[in-house]
């Protein structure tokens, strides 16, 4: 939608938007848990810092439409915005549909022809582009592929754009689910399903010790693994490395070093000398995690506190500072917020988003090998790349028409 709006705004081309779904912006409805986290109210340098794959490729796109320009554009369409914790930006109504309707209305004002229920079956290129669709063939002088990735296939993101790009001669960097919950091997995880942890530090490492990700924040346990903000962000660095066997560890007390934690344990124990070990951890740990931590520490549950040794206390502290989690797989594209991989950015001009191989072919959004962390950054990529691709596509036709 953004690419079509930008192209039509140039006033130099007739713009047609082909949508295989029964309505526009189907995926937009589920972003931000239905509230549509459209961007992050940050400067260009911060936007780029949160891009995991190929941030420098997006320099021109963010320059052409940064977060504040996007916010002004959306509010100019009549949708008030609010900025919340972490500089995440939402429609003030909390309804993603307000953004969707505003964009659709703008398309109508600009005279864009939106053809719904029109899936593209194939794309050929000779002197122009010929699109084979469920509603017949269609010719175009310029083509923008803004088909998304493979995440949330129920919204129509099923990877056709990758097939079209490959058929036209482009390289597709292998794709993986990203910003996605992780499945884990630990048998105790179902016991703590639904438990949410705050102010914990999650670390992801490769077997040789290299740290892929480390951050403090929130996470939660599912019936088969882990999820929540920390885990989703960690997955952005782990998505293409799952076969290498990365491991996770959870530090339940990141504000305390080992010595400070031991002091805290000693103070708690001093008040409960005659209690069983299993009944002494209520002030230190969430209730649901007590049996798990107790078991992992190796201390027999019925051990009296006054009988816990220094070595056992150290073992307890080690577990509290690093509960091991063994990821076995991601939860897949059905639960992935974004897709890692896509059209190789080395084959696309970063200043126009036109193919370096096929004149008149442009790319935008998630079909490219660019992705970012949670917090509105991926939506900003979608809007910025769509804007630049649309402007560039229209201008390319205008240049061709000059005498």
């Amino acid at each position: 939608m953004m690419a079509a709006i930008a192209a039509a705004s140039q006033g130099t081309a007739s713009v047609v938007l082909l949508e295989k779904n029964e309505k526009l912006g189907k995926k937009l409805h589920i972003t931000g848990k239905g509230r549509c986290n459209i961007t992050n109210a940050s400067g260009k340098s911060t936007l780029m810092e949160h891009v995991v794959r190929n941030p420098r490729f997006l320099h021109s796109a963010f320059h052409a439409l940064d977060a504040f320009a996007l916010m002004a554009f959306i509010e100019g369409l009549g949708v008030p915005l609010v900025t919340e914790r972490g500089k995440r930006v939402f429609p003030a109504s909390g309804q993603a549909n307000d953004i969707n309707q505003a964009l659709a209305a703008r398309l109508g004002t600009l005279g864009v022809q939106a053809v719904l229920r029109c899936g593209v079956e194939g794309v050929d290129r000779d002197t122009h582009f010929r699109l084979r669709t469920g509603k017949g063939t269609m010719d175009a002088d310029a083509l923008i592929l803004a088909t998304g990735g493979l995440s949330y296939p129920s919204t129509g993101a099923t990877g056709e754009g990758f097939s079209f790009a490959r058929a036209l001669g482009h390289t597709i960097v292998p794709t993986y689910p990203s910003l996605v919950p992780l499945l884990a091997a630990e048998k105790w995880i179902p016991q703590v399903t639904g438990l949410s942890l705050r102010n914990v530090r999650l670390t992801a490492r490769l077997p040789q010790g290299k740290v892929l990700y480390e951050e403090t924040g929130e996470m939660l346990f599912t019936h088969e693994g882990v999820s929540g903000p920390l885990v989703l962000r960690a997955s952005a660095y782990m998505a293409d490395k799952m076969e290498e066997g990365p491991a996770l560890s959870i530090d339940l007390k990141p504000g305390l070093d080992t010595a400070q934690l031991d002091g805290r344990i000693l103070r708690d124990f001093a008040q409960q000398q005659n209690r069983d070990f299993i009944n002494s951890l209520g002030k230190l740990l969430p209730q649901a995690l007590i049996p798990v931590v107790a078991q992992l520490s190796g201390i027999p549950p019925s051990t009296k506190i006054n009988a816990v040794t220094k070595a056992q206390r150290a073992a307890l502290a080690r577990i509290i500072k690093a509960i091991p989690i063994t990821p076995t797989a991601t939860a897949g594209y059905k639960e992935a917020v974004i897709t890692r991989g896509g059209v190789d950015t080395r084959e696309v001009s970063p200043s126009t988003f036109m193919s370096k191989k096929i004149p008149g072919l442009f790319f935008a959004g998630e079909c490219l090998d660019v992705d970012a962390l949670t917090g509105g950054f991926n939506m900003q990529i979608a809007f910025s790349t769509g804007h630049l691709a649309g402007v560039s596509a229209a201008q390319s036709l205008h240049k061709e028409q000059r005498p």
Side-chain angles (χ1 to χ4, degrees):
M1 287 192 283
M2 193 65 179
I5 287 169
S9 295
Q10 299 301 300
T12 59
S14 173
V15 181
V16 179
L17 191 163
L18 301 183
E19 171 59 71
K20 72 175 181 179
N21 289 316
E22 72 284 358
K23 61 183 178 181
L24 294 172
K26 196 169 182 179
K27 194 169 186 181
L28 199 62
H29 283 272
I30 63 172
T31 61
K33 298 180 180 178
R35 297 178 58 219
C36 196
N37 178 191
I38 68 161
T39 187
N40 191 282
S42 300
K44 185 171 68 175
S45 61
T46 300
L47 296 180
M48 292 181 67
E49 286 171 5
H50 285 78
V51 176
V52 179
R53 292 281 290 179
N54 301 311
R56 289 191 296 175
F57 176 75
L58 295 170
H59 185 278
S60 294
F62 287 154
H63 180 75
L65 185 81
D66 65 14
F68 303 105
L70 173 60
M71 292 165 66
F73 168 75
I74 296 295
E75 291 194 315
L77 297 181
V79 182
L81 301 173
V82 293
T83 302
E84 299 184 1
R85 183 169 58 93
K87 296 186 177 181
R88 295 171 301 157
V89 180
F90 298 88
S93 65
Q95 299 296 317
N97 195 47
D98 287 357
I99 304 289
N100 205 39
Q101 289 183 341
L103 293 173
R106 183 60 176 155
L107 288 168
T109 301
L110 291 168
V112 173
Q113 181 186 355
V115 186
L116 302 179
R117 297 184 175 88
C118 186
V120 177
E121 297 163 359
V123 179
D124 300 312
R125 166 70 168 158
D126 192 0
T127 56
H128 56 266
F129 294 96
R130 174 154 290 178
L131 285 75
R132 290 172 274 115
T133 80
K135 296 187 176 183
T137 59
M138 187 174 299
D139 293 343
D141 296 306
L143 174 65
I144 303 172
L145 288 182
T147 52
L150 291 159
S151 308
Y152 294 119
S154 62
T155 65
T158 49
E160 288 96 334
F162 300 143
S163 299
F164 302 152
R166 186 181 288 111
L168 290 168
H170 272 277
T171 303
I172 305 300
V173 175
T175 58
Y176 304 88
S178 187
L179 298 185
V180 61
L182 299 173
L183 310 185
E186 280 65 27
K187 302 296 185 184
W188 53 263
I189 283 181
Q191 302 170 32
V192 295
T193 298
L195 174 64
S196 179
L197 300 177
R198 292 187 175 186
N199 299 318
V200 298
R201 180 180 294 130
L202 184 70
T203 303
R205 286 187 176 89
L206 290 177
Q208 65 269 31
K210 179 183 178 182
V211 174
L212 295 174
Y213 170 85
E214 188 169 50
E215 191 177 353
T216 300
E218 302 176 13
M219 62 171 289
L220 62 89
F221 292 97
T222 67
H223 68 286
E224 55 186 358
V226 286
S227 186
L230 284 179
V231 174
L232 297 189
R233 288 198 289 271
S235 76
Y237 298 93
M238 300 167 64
D240 53 357
K241 295 180 173 61
M242 293 301 293
E243 293 182 0
E244 297 179 43
L248 296 174
S249 66
I250 306 169
D251 183 348
L252 297 174
K253 301 293 179 183
L256 304 177
D257 62 25
T258 303
Q260 291 170 327
L261 177 58
D262 187 51
R264 166 70 190 277
I265 294 170
L266 279 171
R267 288 193 296 274
D268 285 359
F269 281 5
Q271 301 170 11
Q272 309 174 77
Q273 287 291 311
N274 295 315
R275 301 191 76 176
D276 289 348
F277 169 66
I278 194 67
N279 298 322
S280 69
L281 303 174
K283 293 182 180 180
L284 195 61
L285 302 169
Q287 193 64 37
L289 267 185
I290 289 175
V292 174
V293 171
Q295 179 183 8
L296 293 175
S297 74
I299 304 173
S302 59
T303 304
K304 295 298 181 183
I305 289 301
N306 57 20
V308 173
T309 66
K310 182 177 180 180
Q312 288 176 320
R313 214 172 58 240
L316 173 61
R318 280 195 298 272
I319 287 300
I320 292 174
K321 293 292 288 180
I323 295 178
I325 302 290
T326 310
T328 56
T330 72
Y333 288 113
K334 288 184 179 180
E335 295 189 46
V337 176
I338 58 166
T339 302
R340 160 68 57 83
V343 175
D344 193 330
T345 57
R346 293 173 295 182
E347 300 173 354
V348 180
S349 166
S351 60
T352 63
F353 280 69
M354 186 169 77
S355 164
K356 293 178 180 179
K357 294 188 168 191
I358 310 291
L361 176 64
F362 297 80
F363 300 95
E366 203 174 335
C367 66
L368 287 160
D369 181 24
V370 290
D371 61 80
L373 300 177
T374 56
F377 301 102
N378 287 290
M379 287 290 288
Q380 181 66 47
I381 290 174
F383 280 113
S384 293
T385 58
H387 171 79
L388 185 53
V391 169
S392 301
Q395 290 180 347
S396 72
L397 297 183
H398 182 57
K399 290 176 183 177
E400 289 178 7
Q401 293 167 3
R402 291 175 182 172

